[in-house]
Amino acid sequence: MQFDLYKSWFKYILPLATFAILIYGTWAYCHKFCYDQLYKRLHRHATAIVFMCIECCLSLLIFLMWLQIILLQQPLKQPTVPPYMIFNDNTNSNNRVISTKPPLYYQCDPNGYPIWCTYCQSLKLERVHHSRQLGYCIFRFDHYCAWIGTVIGRNNYRLFIQYVFYYNLLLAWIWLSISAFIRSIVTFNEGEDRILNGNIIVIIILSCIFWLMTGALFVTHIYYMINNKTSLEVLASKHASKGRGMKIKSKLELIVNKTEGASAKDENTNISSNLDTHNKYLCYFNSNDRFRYVFGMTTPDFNQCWKKDTTRANLNEFLGKNIITWFIPWGSPIRKAGENQGIQDLEGCLAEESHRYGVQKIIGAYGEKLSEKTIENFQQQITEGNYVTRFQAYGDQISTQGEQPS
């Protein structure tokens, strides 16, 4: 109990410290620099007023962005996604398991079974990760930001980038504007005991340090967005490249051995010779023969699957399609999270038309899209017979009566 209380309060320490420094910096800049030095001593009245307005506006904007992220744009919880129709459920309608047709592609294990979150009791979709801090699965989980005090996911990532950008802009404004007048202030104050107020020196040092930090963070995330990667994916790729995926690999081999001969496999299963190097798998539906193919890949290769052909296309997925909104710190680039029906809403339609409810119906615009290059690569590997296994899913056969897999 005491530990949980400690954790709940501990997450607010860094955000409160950040805004304490922001308040102190605003006071020192406006009062000690703008009013005492520019306004009273140098008689730069208009300059002092304009400088104070710019600093206060930027500080207020940063505070409002933080409130948005904390109160209005918490990471969106992935709706409950029922199991895919891999097998035909021949039980009666009262005992039938609620399920939905498989999408065109999904992350899976070596046998084609989708990933299941035991905490949320739901399938875990692509680029979705379970947050221990919030207790649920989050779309495009990026990282937990201790400076803000919450998790950054797909729907609040743009606000996070804008927060870092405007904070960096504020810090740059502070040290550049002070640097522009520091010689005049020192010259005017020659002969006095204190040539330069200590608070001005402190905010110059602090603004320079935090400007470098936020600038490096902003540039790093620009690089991530251009390559269509999250912080978590970059970290996972680095760990995998250093050989830290050995524990995962050994567990994966155990799973393969235990599930060998499972009914989901096709008789003509083709086990890749380099299976032991794979720790990520994608199941892809080939409309030509209506089989599903499982492809194994390393973590870096898997994270590369989402990178689109152009820089603009990658940035659009994180910041939205309208460039103007990239600089307007309000809301999310995805305005509608789909119908978010989840498993409860499918119960009434289970008996007759559950096959019509694909994943896209549940998650809407939050679905992830593979790059065209990745799709072309899958088609080529199918032609060459370079895949882990293949099988026919019951949900794909149902879709022939009406729709293609979503």
Side-chain angles (χ1 to χ4, degrees):
M1 176 96 178
Q2 292 180 351
F3 180 68
D4 291 338
L5 183 64
Y6 168 77
K7 287 197 299 182
S8 64
W9 281 101
F10 181 76
K11 67 179 183 180
Y12 295 111
I13 292 179
L14 279 179
L16 289 176
T18 301
F19 283 100
I21 294 174
L22 181 65
I23 293 171
Y24 166 75
T26 300
W27 169 80
Y29 181 86
C30 293
H31 181 65
K32 295 300 181 181
F33 172 65
C34 292
Y35 180 72
D36 284 353
Q37 302 298 329
L38 297 184
Y39 193 91
K40 289 177 64 177
R41 291 176 177 266
L42 300 181
H43 303 292
R44 299 287 188 93
H45 297 169
T47 302
I49 294 173
V50 170
F51 279 17
M52 283 190 286
C53 288
I54 292 175
E55 203 280 343
C56 290
C57 287
L58 286 174
S59 296
L60 180 60
L61 183 63
I62 290 168
F63 179 70
L64 292 177
M65 282 189 286
W66 179 76
L67 287 180
Q68 274 194 80
I69 296 173
I70 294 295
L71 302 178
L72 302 179
Q73 293 294 334
Q74 278 286 312
L76 186 67
K77 177 182 179 181
Q78 178 198 276
T80 302
V81 178
Y84 296 145
M85 294 178 182
I86 305 296
F87 305 106
N88 183 8
D89 188 359
N90 293 318
T91 57
N92 60 61
S93 59
N94 293 328
N95 298 323
R96 190 180 301 172
V97 176
I98 299 174
S99 57
T100 184
K101 65 178 183 178
L104 179 62
Y105 44 81
Y106 59 85
Q107 189 175 352
C108 63
D109 68 5
N111 297 296
Y113 296 112
I115 307 301
W116 181 262
C117 179
T118 56
Y119 298 101
C120 298
Q121 289 297 295
S122 167
L123 290 183
K124 192 159 63 172
L125 301 180
E126 297 73 41
R127 307 182 87 176
V128 168
H129 293 273
H130 188 87
S131 170
R132 291 180 297 175
Q133 290 84 1
L134 299 179
Y136 57 80
C137 287
I138 294 172
F139 288 109
R140 200 184 288 172
F141 183 103
D142 192 89
H143 70 286
Y144 176 80
C145 183
W147 299 98
I148 294 178
T150 191
V151 173
I152 304 302
R154 185 169 184 182
N155 65 308
N156 62 0
Y157 184 83
R158 186 177 72 181
L159 268 175
F160 166 74
I161 293 296
Q162 292 167 335
Y163 178 86
V164 175
F165 171 75
Y166 282 107
Y167 218 125
N168 183 260
L169 186 63
L170 170 64
L171 295 167
W173 172 259
I174 289 175
W175 73 262
L176 284 173
S177 58
I178 293 178
S179 299
F181 286 92
I182 194 167
R183 177 175 294 182
S184 300
I185 294 173
V186 170
T187 302
F188 186 88
N189 293 336
E190 282 184 348
E192 298 186 8
D193 294 337
R194 299 178 64 181
I195 296 178
L196 193 62
N197 186 276
N199 291 290
I200 297 177
I201 298 175
V202 170
I203 61 172
I204 290 178
I205 296 174
L206 289 178
S207 62
C208 286
I209 293 174
F210 285 105
W211 175 73
L212 291 173
M213 291 173 59
T214 55
L217 181 64
F218 180 74
V219 171
T220 299
H221 278 274
I222 292 294
Y223 173 78
Y224 290 168
M225 288 189 289
I226 290 175
N227 289 276
N228 209 314
K229 294 180 180 179
T230 64
S231 301
L232 187 63
E233 290 169 350
V234 172
L235 185 62
S237 296
K238 289 181 179 179
H239 284 183
S241 63
K242 292 179 180 178
R244 297 182 182 179
M246 293 301 296
K247 184 177 180 181
I248 299 176
K249 181 168 50 176
S250 59
K251 285 185 177 181
L252 213 149
E253 291 173 351
L254 182 62
I255 292 173
V256 173
N257 293 331
K258 285 185 176 181
T259 57
E260 188 175 7
S263 57
K265 284 188 176 182
D266 185 78
E267 293 181 357
N268 296 322
T269 297
N270 178 19
I271 303 297
S272 175
S273 61
N274 60 346
L275 176 63
D276 59 342
T277 63
H278 299 153
N279 48 34
K280 295 287 185 180
Y281 296 85
L282 274 174
C283 182
Y284 172 73
F285 176 76
N286 183 24
S287 59
N288 295 327
D289 57 10
R290 306 203 66 80
F291 271 87
R292 288 193 167 269
Y293 293 83
V294 176
F295 299 98
M297 58 196 76
T298 63
T299 299
D301 290 338
F302 177 81
N303 295 334
Q304 195 72 14
C305 289
W306 316 105
K307 183 179 179 181
K308 306 304 183 291
D309 294 335
T310 64
T311 298
R312 177 66 186 276
N314 289 314
L315 291 175
N316 286 349
E317 289 202 359
F318 288 87
L319 303 176
K321 295 181 179 180
N322 190 343
I323 296 182
I324 297 177
T325 60
W326 294 5
F327 303 95
I328 300 177
W330 180 258
S332 171
I334 304 178
R335 297 187 179 276
K336 187 178 181 182
E339 298 182 28
N340 291 337
Q341 287 179 296
I343 194 168
Q344 295 81 4
D345 304 278
L346 292 175
E347 291 178 350
C349 306
L350 174 62
E352 298 181 359
E353 53 180 3
S354 61
H355 67 279
R356 296 189 182 186
Y357 286 83
V359 175
Q360 200 65 32
K361 182 78 171 178
I362 300 173
I363 65 174
Y366 280 81
E368 296 287 351
K369 295 182 179 180
L370 290 174
S371 66
E372 294 182 3
K373 185 177 180 180
T374 300
I375 299 294
E376 293 173 358
N377 184 41
F378 284 169
Q379 292 290 349
Q380 182 179 355
Q381 290 188 57
I382 291 173
T383 303
E384 298 173 353
N386 186 20
Y387 51 86
V388 177
T389 186
R390 74 169 190 166
F391 61 92
Q392 286 186 308
Y394 174 69
D396 297 333
Q397 306 308 313
I398 291 180
S399 66
T400 60
Q401 303 173 12
E403 309 171 28
Q404 290 290 329
S406 58

